[in-house]
Amino acid sequence: MRYLSTRGGLEPACFSDILLGGLAPDGGLVVPERYPRVDHATLALWRTLDYPSLAFEVLKDYATDLPPDDLRRLLAQTYTAEVFGSPEITPVLSLGNDLHLLRLSNGPTLAFKDVAMQLLGRLFEYVLARDGSELNILGATSGDTGSAAEYAMRGKRGIRVFMLSPNGRMSTFQRAQMYSLRDPNIFNLAVNGVFDDCQDMVKSVSADLAFKSRYQIGTVNSINWARVLAQVVYYFRGYFSVATEIGQPVSFCVPSGNFGNVLAGHIARMMGLPIHRLVVATNENDVLDEFFRTGRYRARATAETRQTSSPSMDISKASNFERFIFDLLMRDGGRVSSLWRALQEHGEFDLGADEAFGRIAGYGFLSGRSTHANRLDTIRRFDREHGLVVDPHTADGLFVAQSHREPGVPMVCLETALPVKFAETIREALGREPQCPPGFEGIEELGQRYTVMPPDVAQLKRYVAARCPGR
Ligand SMILES: *Cc1c(COP(=O)(O)O)cnc(C)c1O
């Protein structure tokens, strides 16, 4: 399998070449040259596999330059009951009436991002040891990515993590998870700005190719292809858990921010998984909902990005979205380039009148938006009706899903985090503390270690350079 850029400018590269990055040299995102197709007979076989074996089947045609035995071993080491709480790894909880919750949040940091990041940690370690090189990971997080990355990379040889987070904009629990880490290879940078400032800083550094190469900079942001790929697996697993027979249409609803999670669903669908609808759920930062309703993609200014009670979805532009648009435009890199130039110059593009937009329905996409009040109501309703406390992001998904239910079509909502990470909102909704899973008690009381920084790229580069050997 070769990888290309969404803007057409990358020499074809293989999985190992793109594993540590995500952004192509021409500013586009790397994508596989095609999606391997899976027929119903193969799906029937895959249905019987345990999680690591299923993951192997999904990944092997994308990571063709890794020896299959090595890939199999890395997957078996990653997806264990010890790390993810159960041998199912991503179990499904059925709530009755064809509504299901795909539980993705039982990894080390209690959010779905662990599912991909734990694998990334193994893959990075493997290729770095193989190539005798080092990696300095530069990332931006609004909370969950950073902790998932740090818990996947802590103590790993040859890897340092520099994680930018918006100062004061994460939950107490998220801050505690990240900032309490003591591992000498983990550096937390609290940026005085919003998440998009952090993401822009990472992008600027990545765009400085000389710096990037000298300090062996890589990312683990949601644009990392291997992360997206690892997430494709649980759409298959979730489908198999709820479909009574292969071929039955099943819909998924996905709380979305940077469009990484739902993009994985799109890829599973392109591979032939019978997904009926992919419902994109946003919060008040509804740039994606606006696009799927109207065809207008209007990136918001930083000042327009609202701080909400589902903060991991507080984005003004969705970094993975370009990969979907590339498919929507029949993989025309030239057109993607010119749309993203328009986005740069005018802050928006509009496909509303374009024939491409007419094809959206054919890709199964629908969308909806949830507000603080919807979120609180939904948390209360699921507590009352199911005795289930969901986190605010999952609540956004459950809320949006209900307006897209179709008789006889199972709806699988993706659980993206556990409620303990967002205790303030749970208290507001229910008047009580969320349950703390075993092993996480008292984490907020631990000492914290982080550096505050303005949104200044030059300062960030100096900080990184001072802590890396460079070549
Ligand atoms: C990251 C995150 C999201 C958004 O996922 P994307 O892949 O960026 O769309 C939603 N909910 C939670 C809890 C998250 O951590």
Side-chain angles (χ1 to χ4, degrees):
M1 177 70 75
R2 314 292 293 174
Y3 287 84
L4 319 165
S5 165
T6 49
R7 301 192 195 168
L10 177 72
E11 293 301 312
C14 65
F15 185 78
S16 298
D17 297 335
I18 60 137
L19 174 65
L20 305 181
L23 205 61
D26 63 356
L29 303 185
V30 297
V31 283
E33 62 187 346
R34 64 188 170 81
Y35 300 118
R37 290 285 300 183
V38 184
D39 60 19
H40 283 194
T42 308
L43 288 176
L45 286 175
W46 286 12
R47 175 178 205 147
T48 64
L49 302 176
D50 64 13
Y51 198 97
S53 309
L54 173 64
F56 175 75
E57 295 300 325
V58 172
L59 266 67
K60 71 178 192 318
D61 292 333
Y62 290 100
T64 46
D65 55 317
L66 301 187
D69 287 345
D70 292 357
L71 180 60
R72 211 182 261 289
R73 177 174 44 82
L74 293 170
L75 289 164
Q77 289 169 343
T78 303
Y79 295 114
T80 65
E82 291 69 48
V83 175
F84 287 96
S86 72
E88 292 88 355
I89 309 300
T90 61
V92 165
L93 175 69
S94 292
L95 299 168
N97 199 17
D98 267 341
L99 182 67
H100 307 270
L101 192 65
L102 179 58
R103 312 209 78 165
L104 304 174
S105 313
N106 292 301
T109 71
L110 310 180
F112 82 96
K113 292 185 171 77
D114 287 326
V115 179
M117 208 67 87
Q118 287 289 315
L119 177 61
L120 216 59
R122 300 267 175 194
L123 286 169
F124 280 14
E125 186 175 51
Y126 170 83
V127 299
L128 291 170
R130 186 192 68 188
D131 303 345
S133 52
E134 290 201 352
L135 176 69
N136 296 303
I137 293 169
L138 186 58
T141 186
S142 54
D144 296 329
T145 311
S147 51
E150 293 182 353
Y151 282 76
M153 307 295 168
R154 61 189 296 201
K156 293 269 193 302
R157 276 177 71 106
I159 300 181
R160 289 179 200 81
V161 178
F162 298 88
M163 189 55 64
L164 280 60
S165 51
N167 195 11
R169 287 176 181 251
M170 295 190 298
S171 76
T172 314
F173 188 89
Q174 286 176 317
R175 270 199 294 270
Q177 267 190 320
M178 286 180 59
Y179 298 170
S180 67
L181 284 180
R182 301 258 145 214
D183 306 74
N185 69 328
I186 304 294
F187 301 92
N188 282 305
L189 299 169
V191 174
N192 289 324
V194 294
F195 168 68
D196 291 290
D197 295 316
C198 301
Q199 186 155 272
D200 286 345
M201 289 167 77
V202 170
K203 281 187 176 171
S204 300
V205 174
S206 295
D208 180 344
L209 297 182
F211 186 89
K212 194 178 164 192
S213 137
R214 173 155 190 220
Y215 293 103
Q216 307 178 71
I217 302 291
T219 69
V220 290
N221 280 345
S222 64
I223 58 172
N224 182 290
W225 167 254
R227 273 186 68 188
V228 175
L229 182 58
Q231 293 169 355
V232 172
V233 179
Y234 55 67
Y235 284 87
F236 283 89
R237 193 60 262 160
Y239 179 88
F240 297 145
S241 298
V242 309
T244 45
E245 56 181 20
I246 301 297
Q248 181 189 1
V250 172
S251 295
F252 288 80
C253 183
V254 189
S256 294
N258 273 314
F259 205 73
N261 203 359
V262 72
L263 179 76
H266 163 70
I267 292 164
R269 196 174 172 284
M270 297 297 276
M271 291 174 71
L273 189 68
I275 294 178
H276 182 55
R277 302 284 188 211
L278 281 167
V279 182
V280 179
T282 74
N283 64 15
E284 291 89 335
N285 295 294
D286 56 357
V287 46
L288 288 167
D289 180 44
E290 182 177 7
F291 174 78
F292 284 102
R293 281 186 299 102
T294 67
R296 183 172 178 217
Y297 184 65
R298 189 170 60 88
R300 313 293 199 253
T302 296
E304 265 188 281
T305 309
R306 297 181 47 192
Q307 194 176 347
T308 76
S309 47
S310 47
S312 296
M313 292 153 63
D314 290 349
I315 53 97
S316 56
K317 45 186 182 278
S319 53
N320 264 297
F321 186 57
E322 183 170 339
R323 288 190 167 116
F324 171 66
I325 294 297
F326 181 64
D327 284 344
L328 185 67
L329 297 176
M330 310 304 248
R331 312 201 121 208
D332 180 343
R335 273 207 77 191
V336 173
S337 258
S338 62
L339 285 183
W340 257 262
R341 232 179 356 258
L343 197 58
Q344 192 88 44
E345 282 162 20
H346 313 294
E348 66 170 89
F349 62 74
D350 192 345
L351 292 176
D354 197 286
E355 53 147 353
F357 191 64
R359 289 197 293 269
I360 289 270
Y363 286 91
F365 276 97
L366 291 172
S367 70
R369 165 187 201 271
S370 167
T371 65
H372 183 65
N374 301 141
R375 197 168 299 136
L376 295 186
D377 281 349
T378 305
I379 292 169
R380 290 188 194 111
R381 187 160 67 82
F382 279 80
D383 178 50
R384 197 170 59 235
E385 293 176 7
H386 301 279
L388 173 72
V389 181
V390 295
D391 97 285
H393 309 77
T394 308
D396 286 334
L398 289 164
F399 174 77
V400 169
Q402 85 194 359
S403 35
H404 295 293
R405 299 296 309 277
E406 290 168 78
V409 181
M411 173 65 83
V412 179
C413 290
L414 273 54
E415 175 206 68
T416 54
L418 290 193
V420 68
K421 298 192 89 168
F422 305 96
E424 291 85 346
T425 304
I426 302 303
R427 274 197 298 274
E428 186 180 347
L430 302 177
R432 60 175 205 261
E433 291 296 323
Q435 222 177 22
C436 187
F440 291 87
E441 302 89 352
I443 190 171
E444 279 114 336
E445 276 76 56
L446 297 175
Q448 300 191 354
R449 191 173 68 97
Y450 60 95
T451 303
V452 177
M453 185 177 283
D456 176 344
V457 175
Q459 191 168 331
L460 171 61
K461 283 180 175 168
R462 283 197 300 275
Y463 185 93
V464 170
R467 283 156 187 85
C468 302
R471 344 178 237 213

